[in-house]
Amino acid sequence: MKASVIALGWHTIKKATYGYSAGIAVYILFLAWVYPSISTNPAVTRLLSSLPPALLKLAGISSNFSTYTGYLSSEFYSVIDIWIIMWFVTMEAMVLVGTPRQNHSLQWWLSSPISRSTWILGQFLALVLGLAFLTGVTMASEILGAWWFNGGHLYWPGMIWLNVVALLIGLLITGYSMAFLAWVPKVTWPLTITLIFYAMNVIGSMAPHLSVLSNLSLFGVYQPSLIAAGAVPTLATILAFIFGAAILAWLASVVFSRQDLAL
Amino acid sequence: MLHQLVGYLPGEVALPDNMTGSQFLGWMRRLRASANGGLYAGRLLDRFDLNPEAVIATMSKGTRQKLALVAAFAHDPAVMILDEPTSGLDPVMQQTFIQWIREENLRGKTIFLSTHQFTEVERTCHRVGILKQGSLSLVDSIDHLRRKSRQVFEVSLGESRDLGFLADPDLDVALVNNRTATITVNGPVIHLIQKLSSLPVVSIREITQDLEEVFMEIYQHDEEETE
């Protein structure tokens, strides 16, 4: 693998990555800033207890706001973080692979002495790098928020595992996004599949008799309130995500190598 | 690696619009890992008077074409493949391009040029291939192509004569005035010379056919054969 191929991919998405990261940092710091007043406000507690459990579960607000990490798991990780990752990965995968195929600028990169599989694996790794950057900024912002506004109170395992699981989900979305874009240069497929997985998880969470849908969805493993309370995914789950992403990256390289391209 | 030996300029230039020209050339150099890429690219930039600092999306068609030329051949490849290379270039740059192609050829490079510009072919190429309906219908040297084609002469007489009587199946006669005619010889030239021997000929000038005429003749001939 040539480092320059990954570097080119990173150059392509770095501005967007910085933009998403800045948004995440500002949002988390804002949440951290208002946390002390929310955690001591009885009206908020009353409001939460008055809402239907299914609605709270859907919004990811099944943990209370008594801890900083529990509060962030509800207000950030439950919906916003996963949507940011879904959107970031599918859109930037399109920018890396789909757009150069559509506008034919890809032929320039493929005219250099790098194989097609090297090129697409380089783009995959660049996107994983972007994902890791977002995760790093998220963690740093949470730590900074805890230190700055909340006297350094932070439940480290919860914070780390929330981000690790979000990263693993992003890794798998990266894998199938690359595989689909290697086949057809349109964002429709990866976006549709991601939304279907998300919808399956939402339906499974709201209707107990359909909980099988949550188990089938890749988002089923993402239970922010439970993770924030100390429940961590099994090693088998973690390995399954990593192995799955690796298989999909390999599939992307095979599919891409067989495409009818200009070079 | 084959990619290091070959440079390819596509017919439709599609560049990564969000980069500057310099960034694009820099990435091409890094991906090719070419030691001489920077030096030769610099020479090409000077040659084509190109400032690559602008964002590609803001460049004119001609500037994009020049940037594509530089990017395609910055690694100084031994084999160059160009598809409609002067499309979008102004006449001065077309001249510069033709001169550069000649020089590269003298340096020993093999150059494949695909174009509809006959003057470009005449001025740069040694051998020509004519593609018709996706297949190569002819490959020959330019000199040989011209020799194989019909010969056309302009004949002037010292006094007024009706040259129409010269016409026969081997000679097509077009009168220019009552002393001059353009005669196309379809067979051996000796036939024309024999016919002119009894006339007070002042001058005979061969009219050279350009490549376009040769091309059209071959094309029409092929079509007639097909019918």
CSV table of all heavy atoms in Angstrom, one decimal, chain A residues 24 28 73 76-89 127-128 130-136 138-139 142 157-174 194 218-224 227 231 233 237-238 241 245:
chain,number,residue,atom,x,y,z
A,24,ILE,N,-18.9,19.0,15.8
A,24,ILE,CA,-19.1,18.0,17.0
A,24,ILE,C,-18.5,18.7,18.2
A,24,ILE,O,-19.1,18.7,19.3
A,24,ILE,CB,-18.3,16.7,16.7
A,24,ILE,CG1,-19.1,15.9,15.6
A,24,ILE,CG2,-18.1,15.9,17.9
A,24,ILE,CD1,-18.3,14.7,15.1
A,28,ILE,N,-20.7,19.5,21.6
A,28,ILE,CA,-20.4,18.8,22.9
A,28,ILE,C,-20.0,19.8,24.0
A,28,ILE,O,-20.5,19.7,25.1
A,28,ILE,CB,-19.3,17.7,22.7
A,28,ILE,CG1,-19.8,16.5,21.9
A,28,ILE,CG2,-18.7,17.2,24.0
A,28,ILE,CD1,-18.8,15.5,21.6
A,73,SER,N,-24.7,10.6,26.6
A,73,SER,CA,-25.2,9.4,25.8
A,73,SER,C,-26.6,9.7,25.3
A,73,SER,O,-27.0,9.2,24.2
A,73,SER,CB,-25.2,8.2,26.6
A,73,SER,OG,-26.3,8.1,27.5
A,76,PHE,N,-26.3,13.4,22.9
A,76,PHE,CA,-25.4,13.4,21.7
A,76,PHE,C,-25.3,12.0,21.0
A,76,PHE,O,-25.6,11.9,19.9
A,76,PHE,CB,-24.0,13.9,22.1
A,76,PHE,CG,-23.0,13.9,21.0
A,76,PHE,CD1,-23.2,14.8,19.9
A,76,PHE,CD2,-22.0,13.0,21.0
A,76,PHE,CE1,-22.3,14.8,18.9
A,76,PHE,CE2,-21.1,13.0,19.9
A,76,PHE,CZ,-21.2,13.9,18.9
A,77,TYR,N,-24.9,11.0,21.8
A,77,TYR,CA,-24.5,9.7,21.2
A,77,TYR,C,-25.7,9.0,20.6
A,77,TYR,O,-25.6,8.3,19.6
A,77,TYR,CB,-23.8,8.8,22.2
A,77,TYR,CG,-22.4,9.3,22.5
A,77,TYR,CD1,-22.1,10.0,23.7
A,77,TYR,CD2,-21.4,9.1,21.6
A,77,TYR,CE1,-20.8,10.5,23.9
A,77,TYR,CE2,-20.1,9.6,21.9
A,77,TYR,CZ,-19.8,10.2,23.0
A,77,TYR,OH,-18.6,10.7,23.3
A,78,SER,N,-26.9,9.2,21.3
A,78,SER,CA,-28.0,8.3,20.9
A,78,SER,C,-28.5,8.6,19.5
A,78,SER,O,-28.8,7.6,18.8
A,78,SER,CB,-29.2,8.6,21.9
A,78,SER,OG,-29.5,10.0,21.8
A,79,VAL,N,-28.5,9.8,19.1
A,79,VAL,CA,-29.0,10.1,17.7
A,79,VAL,C,-28.0,10.9,16.9
A,79,VAL,O,-27.6,10.5,15.8
A,79,VAL,CB,-30.4,10.9,17.8
A,79,VAL,CG1,-30.9,11.2,16.4
A,79,VAL,CG2,-31.4,10.1,18.5
A,80,ILE,N,-27.6,12.0,17.4
A,80,ILE,CA,-26.8,12.9,16.6
A,80,ILE,C,-25.5,12.3,16.2
A,80,ILE,O,-25.1,12.4,15.0
A,80,ILE,CB,-26.5,14.2,17.4
A,80,ILE,CG1,-27.9,15.0,17.6
A,80,ILE,CG2,-25.5,15.2,16.7
A,80,ILE,CD1,-27.8,16.1,18.6
A,81,ASP,N,-24.7,11.7,17.1
A,81,ASP,CA,-23.4,11.1,16.7
A,81,ASP,C,-23.6,10.1,15.6
A,81,ASP,O,-22.8,10.1,14.7
A,81,ASP,CB,-22.8,10.5,18.0
A,81,ASP,CG,-21.3,10.1,17.7
A,81,ASP,OD1,-20.6,10.9,17.0
A,81,ASP,OD2,-20.9,9.0,18.2
A,82,ILE,N,-24.5,9.2,15.8
A,82,ILE,CA,-24.7,8.1,14.8
A,82,ILE,C,-25.1,8.7,13.5
A,82,ILE,O,-24.7,8.2,12.4
A,82,ILE,CB,-25.6,7.0,15.4
A,82,ILE,CG1,-25.2,5.7,14.8
A,82,ILE,CG2,-27.1,7.3,15.1
A,82,ILE,CD1,-23.8,5.2,15.2
A,83,TRP,N,-26.0,9.7,13.5
A,83,TRP,CA,-26.4,10.3,12.2
A,83,TRP,C,-25.2,11.0,11.6
A,83,TRP,O,-25.0,11.0,10.3
A,83,TRP,CB,-27.5,11.3,12.5
A,83,TRP,CG,-28.8,10.7,12.3
A,83,TRP,CD1,-29.6,10.2,13.4
A,83,TRP,CD2,-29.6,10.4,11.1
A,83,TRP,NE1,-30.7,9.6,12.9
A,83,TRP,CE2,-30.7,9.7,11.5
A,83,TRP,CE3,-29.3,10.6,9.8
A,83,TRP,CZ2,-31.7,9.3,10.6
A,83,TRP,CZ3,-30.3,10.2,8.9
A,83,TRP,CH2,-31.4,9.5,9.3
A,84,ILE,N,-24.4,11.7,12.4
A,84,ILE,CA,-23.2,12.3,11.8
A,84,ILE,C,-22.3,11.3,11.1
A,84,ILE,O,-21.8,11.5,10.0
A,84,ILE,CB,-22.4,13.1,12.9
A,84,ILE,CG1,-23.2,14.4,13.3
A,84,ILE,CG2,-21.0,13.5,12.4
A,84,ILE,CD1,-22.6,15.1,14.5
A,85,ILE,N,-22.1,10.2,11.8
A,85,ILE,CA,-21.2,9.1,11.3
A,85,ILE,C,-21.8,8.5,10.0
A,85,ILE,O,-21.1,8.4,9.0
A,85,ILE,CB,-20.9,8.1,12.3
A,85,ILE,CG1,-19.9,8.7,13.3
A,85,ILE,CG2,-20.4,6.8,11.7
A,85,ILE,CD1,-19.6,7.8,14.5
A,86,MET,N,-23.1,8.3,10.0
A,86,MET,CA,-23.8,7.7,8.8
A,86,MET,C,-23.6,8.6,7.6
A,86,MET,O,-23.2,8.2,6.5
A,86,MET,CB,-25.3,7.5,9.1
A,86,MET,CG,-25.6,6.3,9.9
A,86,MET,SD,-27.3,6.4,10.7
A,86,MET,CE,-28.3,6.9,9.3
A,87,TRP,N,-23.9,9.9,7.9
A,87,TRP,CA,-23.8,10.9,6.8
A,87,TRP,C,-22.4,11.1,6.4
A,87,TRP,O,-22.1,11.2,5.1
A,87,TRP,CB,-24.5,12.2,7.3
A,87,TRP,CG,-24.8,13.2,6.2
A,87,TRP,CD1,-24.1,14.3,5.9
A,87,TRP,CD2,-25.8,13.0,5.3
A,87,TRP,NE1,-24.7,14.9,4.8
A,87,TRP,CE2,-25.8,14.1,4.4
A,87,TRP,CE3,-26.9,12.1,5.1
A,87,TRP,CZ2,-26.6,14.3,3.3
A,87,TRP,CZ3,-27.7,12.3,4.0
A,87,TRP,CH2,-27.6,13.4,3.2
A,88,PHE,N,-21.5,11.3,7.3
A,88,PHE,CA,-20.1,11.5,7.0
A,88,PHE,C,-19.5,10.4,6.1
A,88,PHE,O,-18.9,10.6,5.0
A,88,PHE,CB,-19.3,11.7,8.2
A,88,PHE,CG,-17.8,11.7,8.0
A,88,PHE,CD1,-17.1,12.9,7.6
A,88,PHE,CD2,-17.0,10.6,8.2
A,88,PHE,CE1,-15.8,12.9,7.4
A,88,PHE,CE2,-15.6,10.6,8.0
A,88,PHE,CZ,-15.0,11.8,7.6
A,89,VAL,N,-19.7,9.2,6.5
A,89,VAL,CA,-19.1,8.0,5.8
A,89,VAL,C,-19.7,7.9,4.4
A,89,VAL,O,-19.0,7.8,3.4
A,89,VAL,CB,-19.3,6.7,6.7
A,89,VAL,CG1,-19.0,5.5,5.8
A,89,VAL,CG2,-18.5,6.8,7.9
A,127,LEU,N,-10.7,7.0,4.5
A,127,LEU,CA,-12.0,7.3,5.1
A,127,LEU,C,-12.0,6.8,6.6
A,127,LEU,O,-12.6,7.4,7.5
A,127,LEU,CB,-13.1,6.6,4.3
A,127,LEU,CG,-14.6,7.0,4.7
A,127,LEU,CD1,-14.8,8.5,4.7
A,127,LEU,CD2,-15.5,6.5,3.6
A,128,VAL,N,-11.4,5.7,6.8
A,128,VAL,CA,-11.2,5.2,8.2
A,128,VAL,C,-10.4,6.2,9.0
A,128,VAL,O,-10.7,6.5,10.2
A,128,VAL,CB,-10.5,3.8,8.2
A,128,VAL,CG1,-10.2,3.4,9.6
A,128,VAL,CG2,-11.5,2.8,7.5
A,130,GLY,N,-10.4,9.4,8.5
A,130,GLY,CA,-11.3,10.5,8.8
A,130,GLY,C,-12.2,10.2,9.9
A,130,GLY,O,-12.5,11.0,10.8
A,131,LEU,N,-12.7,8.9,9.9
A,131,LEU,CA,-13.6,8.4,11.0
A,131,LEU,C,-12.9,8.5,12.3
A,131,LEU,O,-13.5,8.9,13.3
A,131,LEU,CB,-14.0,7.0,10.6
A,131,LEU,CG,-15.3,6.4,11.2
A,131,LEU,CD1,-16.5,7.3,10.9
A,131,LEU,CD2,-15.5,5.0,10.6
A,132,ALA,N,-11.7,8.0,12.3
A,132,ALA,CA,-10.9,8.0,13.6
A,132,ALA,C,-10.6,9.4,14.0
A,132,ALA,O,-10.6,9.7,15.3
A,132,ALA,CB,-9.5,7.3,13.3
A,133,PHE,N,-10.4,10.3,13.1
A,133,PHE,CA,-10.2,11.7,13.5
A,133,PHE,C,-11.5,12.3,14.2
A,133,PHE,O,-11.4,12.9,15.2
A,133,PHE,CB,-9.9,12.6,12.2
A,133,PHE,CG,-9.5,14.0,12.5
A,133,PHE,CD1,-8.1,14.3,12.7
A,133,PHE,CD2,-10.4,15.0,12.5
A,133,PHE,CE1,-7.7,15.6,13.0
A,133,PHE,CE2,-10.0,16.3,12.8
A,133,PHE,CZ,-8.7,16.6,13.1
A,134,LEU,N,-12.7,12.0,13.6
A,134,LEU,CA,-13.9,12.4,14.2
A,134,LEU,C,-14.1,11.9,15.6
A,134,LEU,O,-14.5,12.6,16.5
A,134,LEU,CB,-15.1,12.0,13.4
A,134,LEU,CG,-15.5,12.6,12.0
A,134,LEU,CD1,-16.8,12.2,11.6
A,134,LEU,CD2,-15.4,14.1,12.2
A,135,THR,N,-13.7,10.6,15.7
A,135,THR,CA,-13.8,9.9,17.0
A,135,THR,C,-12.9,10.6,18.0
A,135,THR,O,-13.3,10.8,19.2
A,135,THR,CB,-13.5,8.4,16.9
A,135,THR,OG1,-14.4,7.9,15.9
A,135,THR,CG2,-13.7,7.7,18.2
A,136,GLY,N,-11.7,10.8,17.6
A,136,GLY,CA,-10.7,11.5,18.5
A,136,GLY,C,-11.2,12.9,18.9
A,136,GLY,O,-11.1,13.2,20.1
A,138,THR,N,-14.3,13.9,19.1
A,138,THR,CA,-15.4,13.7,20.0
A,138,THR,C,-15.0,13.4,21.4
A,138,THR,O,-15.5,14.0,22.4
A,138,THR,CB,-16.3,12.5,19.5
A,138,THR,OG1,-16.6,12.7,18.1
A,138,THR,CG2,-17.5,12.3,20.3
A,139,MET,N,-14.0,12.5,21.5
A,139,MET,CA,-13.5,12.1,22.9
A,139,MET,C,-12.8,13.3,23.5
A,139,MET,O,-13.0,13.6,24.7
A,139,MET,CB,-12.5,10.9,22.7
A,139,MET,CG,-13.2,9.6,22.3
A,139,MET,SD,-12.1,8.3,21.9
A,139,MET,CE,-11.7,7.7,23.5
A,142,GLU,N,-15.3,15.8,24.8
A,142,GLU,CA,-16.0,15.3,26.0
A,142,GLU,C,-15.1,15.5,27.2
A,142,GLU,O,-15.6,15.9,28.3
A,142,GLU,CB,-16.4,13.9,25.8
A,142,GLU,CG,-17.4,13.4,26.8
A,142,GLU,CD,-18.0,12.0,26.5
A,142,GLU,OE1,-18.0,11.6,25.3
A,142,GLU,OE2,-18.4,11.3,27.5
A,157,PRO,N,-14.6,4.6,31.2
A,157,PRO,CA,-15.0,3.4,30.3
A,157,PRO,C,-16.2,3.7,29.4
A,157,PRO,O,-16.2,3.3,28.3
A,157,PRO,CB,-15.3,2.4,31.4
A,157,PRO,CG,-14.6,2.8,32.6
A,157,PRO,CD,-14.6,4.3,32.6
A,158,GLY,N,-17.2,4.4,30.0
A,158,GLY,CA,-18.4,4.6,29.2
A,158,GLY,C,-18.1,5.5,28.0
A,158,GLY,O,-18.5,5.2,26.9
A,159,MET,N,-17.3,6.6,28.3
A,159,MET,CA,-17.0,7.5,27.2
A,159,MET,C,-16.2,6.8,26.1
A,159,MET,O,-16.5,6.9,24.9
A,159,MET,CB,-16.1,8.6,27.8
A,159,MET,CG,-15.8,9.7,26.8
A,159,MET,SD,-14.3,9.5,25.9
A,159,MET,CE,-13.0,9.7,27.2
A,160,ILE,N,-15.2,6.0,26.5
A,160,ILE,CA,-14.4,5.3,25.5
A,160,ILE,C,-15.2,4.3,24.7
A,160,ILE,O,-15.1,4.3,23.5
A,160,ILE,CB,-13.2,4.6,26.2
A,160,ILE,CG1,-12.2,5.7,26.8
A,160,ILE,CG2,-12.4,3.6,25.3
A,160,ILE,CD1,-11.1,5.1,27.7
A,161,TRP,N,-16.0,3.5,25.4
A,161,TRP,CA,-16.8,2.4,24.7
A,161,TRP,C,-17.8,3.0,23.8
A,161,TRP,O,-18.1,2.5,22.7
A,161,TRP,CB,-17.4,1.4,25.7
A,161,TRP,CG,-16.3,0.4,26.1
A,161,TRP,CD1,-15.8,0.3,27.3
A,161,TRP,CD2,-15.8,-0.6,25.3
A,161,TRP,NE1,-14.8,-0.7,27.3
A,161,TRP,CE2,-14.8,-1.3,26.1
A,161,TRP,CE3,-15.9,-1.0,23.9
A,161,TRP,CZ2,-14.0,-2.3,25.6
A,161,TRP,CZ3,-15.1,-2.0,23.4
A,161,TRP,CH2,-14.2,-2.7,24.3
A,162,LEU,N,-18.4,4.1,24.2
A,162,LEU,CA,-19.4,4.8,23.3
A,162,LEU,C,-18.8,5.1,22.0
A,162,LEU,O,-19.3,4.9,20.9
A,162,LEU,CB,-20.0,6.1,24.0
A,162,LEU,CG,-21.1,5.9,25.0
A,162,LEU,CD1,-21.3,7.2,25.7
A,162,LEU,CD2,-22.4,5.5,24.3
A,163,ASN,N,-17.6,5.7,22.1
A,163,ASN,CA,-16.9,6.1,20.8
A,163,ASN,C,-16.3,4.9,20.0
A,163,ASN,O,-16.3,4.9,18.8
A,163,ASN,CB,-15.7,7.0,21.2
A,163,ASN,CG,-16.3,8.4,21.5
A,163,ASN,OD1,-16.6,9.1,20.5
A,163,ASN,ND2,-16.4,8.8,22.7
A,164,VAL,N,-15.9,3.9,20.8
A,164,VAL,CA,-15.4,2.7,20.1
A,164,VAL,C,-16.5,2.0,19.3
A,164,VAL,O,-16.3,1.6,18.1
A,164,VAL,CB,-14.7,1.7,21.1
A,164,VAL,CG1,-14.5,0.3,20.4
A,164,VAL,CG2,-13.4,2.2,21.6
A,165,VAL,N,-17.7,1.9,19.9
A,165,VAL,CA,-18.8,1.2,19.2
A,165,VAL,C,-19.3,2.1,18.0
A,165,VAL,O,-19.5,1.5,16.9
A,165,VAL,CB,-20.0,0.9,20.2
A,165,VAL,CG1,-21.2,0.4,19.4
A,165,VAL,CG2,-19.5,0.0,21.3
A,166,ALA,N,-19.3,3.4,18.2
A,166,ALA,CA,-19.7,4.3,17.1
A,166,ALA,C,-18.7,4.1,15.9
A,166,ALA,O,-19.0,4.1,14.8
A,166,ALA,CB,-19.8,5.7,17.5
A,167,LEU,N,-17.4,4.0,16.3
A,167,LEU,CA,-16.3,3.9,15.3
A,167,LEU,C,-16.5,2.5,14.6
A,167,LEU,O,-16.4,2.5,13.3
A,167,LEU,CB,-15.0,3.9,16.0
A,167,LEU,CG,-13.7,3.7,15.1
A,167,LEU,CD1,-13.6,4.9,14.1
A,167,LEU,CD2,-12.5,3.6,15.9
A,168,LEU,N,-16.8,1.5,15.3
A,168,LEU,CA,-17.0,0.2,14.7
A,168,LEU,C,-18.1,0.2,13.7
A,168,LEU,O,-18.0,-0.4,12.6
A,168,LEU,CB,-17.2,-0.9,15.7
A,168,LEU,CG,-16.0,-1.3,16.6
A,168,LEU,CD1,-16.4,-2.2,17.7
A,168,LEU,CD2,-14.9,-2.0,15.8
A,169,ILE,N,-19.2,0.8,14.1
A,169,ILE,CA,-20.4,0.9,13.1
A,169,ILE,C,-20.0,1.7,11.9
A,169,ILE,O,-20.3,1.3,10.8
A,169,ILE,CB,-21.6,1.6,13.9
A,169,ILE,CG1,-22.2,0.6,14.9
A,169,ILE,CG2,-22.7,2.0,12.9
A,169,ILE,CD1,-23.2,1.2,15.8
A,170,GLY,N,-19.3,2.8,12.1
A,170,GLY,CA,-18.8,3.6,11.0
A,170,GLY,C,-17.9,2.8,10.1
A,170,GLY,O,-17.9,2.9,8.9
A,171,LEU,N,-17.1,1.9,10.7
A,171,LEU,CA,-16.1,1.1,9.9
A,171,LEU,C,-16.9,0.2,9.0
A,171,LEU,O,-16.5,0.0,7.8
A,171,LEU,CB,-15.3,0.3,10.9
A,171,LEU,CG,-14.0,-0.4,10.4
A,171,LEU,CD1,-13.0,0.7,10.0
A,171,LEU,CD2,-13.4,-1.2,11.6
A,172,LEU,N,-18.0,-0.4,9.5
A,172,LEU,CA,-18.8,-1.3,8.7
A,172,LEU,C,-19.5,-0.6,7.6
A,172,LEU,O,-19.6,-1.0,6.4
A,172,LEU,CB,-19.8,-2.1,9.6
A,172,LEU,CG,-20.1,-3.5,9.2
A,172,LEU,CD1,-18.9,-4.4,9.0
A,172,LEU,CD2,-21.1,-4.1,10.1
A,173,ILE,N,-20.0,0.6,7.9
A,173,ILE,CA,-20.7,1.4,6.9
A,173,ILE,C,-19.7,1.8,5.8
A,173,ILE,O,-20.0,1.8,4.6
A,173,ILE,CB,-21.3,2.7,7.5
A,173,ILE,CG1,-22.4,2.3,8.5
A,173,ILE,CG2,-22.0,3.5,6.4
A,173,ILE,CD1,-23.0,3.5,9.3
A,174,THR,N,-18.4,2.1,6.2
A,174,THR,CA,-17.4,2.4,5.3
A,174,THR,C,-17.1,1.3,4.3
A,174,THR,O,-17.0,1.4,3.1
A,174,THR,CB,-16.1,2.8,6.0
A,174,THR,OG1,-16.3,3.8,6.9
A,174,THR,CG2,-15.0,3.2,5.0
A,194,THR,N,-28.0,1.9,4.7
A,194,THR,CA,-27.8,2.5,6.0
A,194,THR,C,-29.1,2.9,6.6
A,194,THR,O,-29.4,2.6,7.8
A,194,THR,CB,-26.9,3.7,5.9
A,194,THR,OG1,-25.7,3.3,5.2
A,194,THR,CG2,-26.5,4.2,7.3
A,218,LEU,N,-27.3,-3.5,12.1
A,218,LEU,CA,-25.9,-3.2,12.6
A,218,LEU,C,-26.0,-2.2,13.7
A,218,LEU,O,-25.1,-2.1,14.6
A,218,LEU,CB,-24.9,-2.8,11.5
A,218,LEU,CG,-25.0,-1.5,10.8
A,218,LEU,CD1,-24.1,-0.5,11.5
A,218,LEU,CD2,-24.6,-1.6,9.4
A,219,PHE,N,-27.1,-1.4,13.8
A,219,PHE,CA,-27.2,-0.4,14.9
A,219,PHE,C,-27.7,-1.1,16.2
A,219,PHE,O,-27.8,-0.4,17.2
A,219,PHE,CB,-28.1,0.7,14.4
A,219,PHE,CG,-27.6,1.5,13.3
A,219,PHE,CD1,-28.1,1.3,12.0
A,219,PHE,CD2,-26.6,2.4,13.5
A,219,PHE,CE1,-27.6,2.0,10.9
A,219,PHE,CE2,-26.1,3.2,12.4
A,219,PHE,CZ,-26.6,2.9,11.1
A,220,GLY,N,-28.1,-2.3,16.1
A,220,GLY,CA,-28.6,-3.0,17.3
A,220,GLY,C,-27.6,-3.1,18.4
A,220,GLY,O,-27.9,-3.0,19.6
A,221,VAL,N,-26.3,-3.1,18.0
A,221,VAL,CA,-25.3,-3.2,19.0
A,221,VAL,C,-25.0,-1.8,19.7
A,221,VAL,O,-24.4,-1.7,20.7
A,221,VAL,CB,-23.9,-3.7,18.3
A,221,VAL,CG1,-23.3,-2.6,17.5
A,221,VAL,CG2,-22.9,-4.2,19.4
A,222,TYR,N,-25.6,-0.8,19.1
A,222,TYR,CA,-25.3,0.6,19.6
A,222,TYR,C,-26.5,1.0,20.6
A,222,TYR,O,-27.5,1.4,20.1
A,222,TYR,CB,-25.3,1.5,18.4
A,222,TYR,CG,-24.8,2.9,18.7
A,222,TYR,CD1,-23.5,3.1,19.2
A,222,TYR,CD2,-25.6,4.0,18.6
A,222,TYR,CE1,-23.0,4.3,19.5
A,222,TYR,CE2,-25.1,5.3,18.9
A,222,TYR,CZ,-23.8,5.4,19.3
A,222,TYR,OH,-23.4,6.7,19.6
A,223,GLN,N,-26.2,0.8,21.8
A,223,GLN,CA,-27.2,1.1,22.9
A,223,GLN,C,-26.5,2.1,23.8
A,223,GLN,O,-26.0,1.7,24.9
A,223,GLN,CB,-27.6,-0.1,23.7
A,223,GLN,CG,-28.2,-1.3,22.8
A,223,GLN,CD,-29.6,-0.9,22.3
A,223,GLN,OE1,-30.3,0.0,22.8
A,223,GLN,NE2,-30.1,-1.6,21.3
A,224,PRO,N,-26.5,3.4,23.5
A,224,PRO,CA,-25.7,4.4,24.2
A,224,PRO,C,-26.0,4.4,25.7
A,224,PRO,O,-25.0,4.5,26.5
A,224,PRO,CB,-26.0,5.7,23.6
A,224,PRO,CG,-26.5,5.3,22.2
A,224,PRO,CD,-27.1,4.0,22.3
A,227,ILE,N,-24.3,1.4,27.3
A,227,ILE,CA,-22.8,1.5,27.3
A,227,ILE,C,-22.4,2.5,28.3
A,227,ILE,O,-21.4,2.3,29.0
A,227,ILE,CB,-22.4,1.8,25.8
A,227,ILE,CG1,-22.7,0.7,24.9
A,227,ILE,CG2,-20.9,2.0,25.8
A,227,ILE,CD1,-22.6,1.0,23.4
A,231,ALA,N,-22.1,-1.3,30.2
A,231,ALA,CA,-22.3,-2.5,29.4
A,231,ALA,C,-21.4,-2.3,28.2
A,231,ALA,O,-21.6,-1.4,27.4
A,231,ALA,CB,-23.7,-2.7,29.0
A,233,PRO,N,-19.7,-4.1,24.6
A,233,PRO,CA,-19.9,-5.2,23.6
A,233,PRO,C,-18.9,-6.3,23.8
A,233,PRO,O,-17.8,-6.1,24.4
A,233,PRO,CB,-19.7,-4.6,22.3
A,233,PRO,CG,-18.9,-3.3,22.5
A,233,PRO,CD,-19.2,-2.9,23.9
A,237,THR,N,-18.3,-9.6,19.2
A,237,THR,CA,-19.0,-8.5,18.4
A,237,THR,C,-18.0,-7.6,17.8
A,237,THR,O,-18.1,-7.2,16.6
A,237,THR,CB,-19.9,-7.7,19.4
A,237,THR,OG1,-20.8,-8.6,20.0
A,237,THR,CG2,-20.7,-6.7,18.6
A,238,ILE,N,-17.0,-7.2,18.6
A,238,ILE,CA,-15.9,-6.2,18.1
A,238,ILE,C,-15.2,-6.9,16.9
A,238,ILE,O,-15.0,-6.2,15.9
A,238,ILE,CB,-15.0,-5.9,19.2
A,238,ILE,CG1,-15.7,-5.1,20.3
A,238,ILE,CG2,-13.8,-5.1,18.7
A,238,ILE,CD1,-14.9,-4.9,21.6
A,241,PHE,N,-17.3,-7.0,13.7
A,241,PHE,CA,-17.3,-5.7,13.0
A,241,PHE,C,-16.0,-5.5,12.2
A,241,PHE,O,-16.1,-5.1,11.1
A,241,PHE,CB,-17.6,-4.6,14.0
A,241,PHE,CG,-19.0,-4.3,14.2
A,241,PHE,CD1,-19.8,-5.1,15.0
A,241,PHE,CD2,-19.6,-3.1,13.6
A,241,PHE,CE1,-21.2,-4.8,15.2
A,241,PHE,CE2,-20.9,-2.9,13.8
A,241,PHE,CZ,-21.7,-3.7,14.6
A,245,ALA,N,-15.8,-5.5,8.2
A,245,ALA,CA,-15.3,-4.3,7.4
A,245,ALA,C,-14.1,-4.8,6.5
A,245,ALA,O,-14.0,-4.3,5.3
A,245,ALA,CB,-14.8,-3.2,8.4
